[in-house]
Amino acid sequence: MAVEPLSQKEIEDRLAELPGWSYDAGRLTRAYRLASHFAAAALVVHVAQVQDELDHHSDLTLGYRTVSVAVHTHSAGGAVTELDFELARRVEDLAPGHGAH
């Protein structure tokens, strides 16, 4: 499936629908805080499952009680595409179930 880079305006418009997410250094990014390291690790595993379903993978950073997500589309020259926003939406939907904020 071919994916096209989004314009700066399209990125800004879509970010308005994803509170907590930002566009930084050419990637969509979000950091989550969780109640424990175990909860953070469980979120990482759940995000990994979604990434495999979408066949689209972000950079995940697991901290003591934090998870950071950074994503862009390699096949679009490292640009942000609709696929990145789909992944971000999916992560946003599942994060509260892990107590993330």
Side-chain angles (χ1 to χ4, degrees):
M1 171 173 114
V3 289
E4 297 297 320
L6 297 174
S7 70
Q8 186 67 35
K9 171 93 168 85
E10 289 171 317
I11 291 169
E12 291 169 7
D13 290 348
R14 285 172 173 78
L15 277 175
E17 301 167 5
L18 288 170
W21 285 82
S22 60
Y23 179 67
D24 183 42
R27 296 171 177 240
L28 296 183
T29 63
R30 173 79 150 87
Y32 294 96
R33 292 200 45 76
L34 294 101
S36 68
H37 181 69
F38 186 82
L43 176 60
V44 167
V45 170
H46 203 164
V47 170
Q49 179 183 15
V50 169
Q51 291 177 143
D52 279 351
E53 289 171 10
L54 292 174
D55 192 26
H56 189 57
H57 301 85
S58 67
D59 291 331
L60 294 173
T61 303
L62 172 62
Y64 171 57
R65 295 187 320 174
T66 61
V67 174
S68 297
V69 182
V71 65
H72 63 164
T73 304
H74 295 281
S75 62
V80 170
T81 69
E82 186 56 44
L83 193 53
D84 300 307
F85 277 96
E86 176 61 22
L87 177 58
R89 279 189 288 274
R90 296 274 303 269
V91 172
E92 235 359 68
D93 288 345
L94 64 88
H98 292 273
H101 59 284

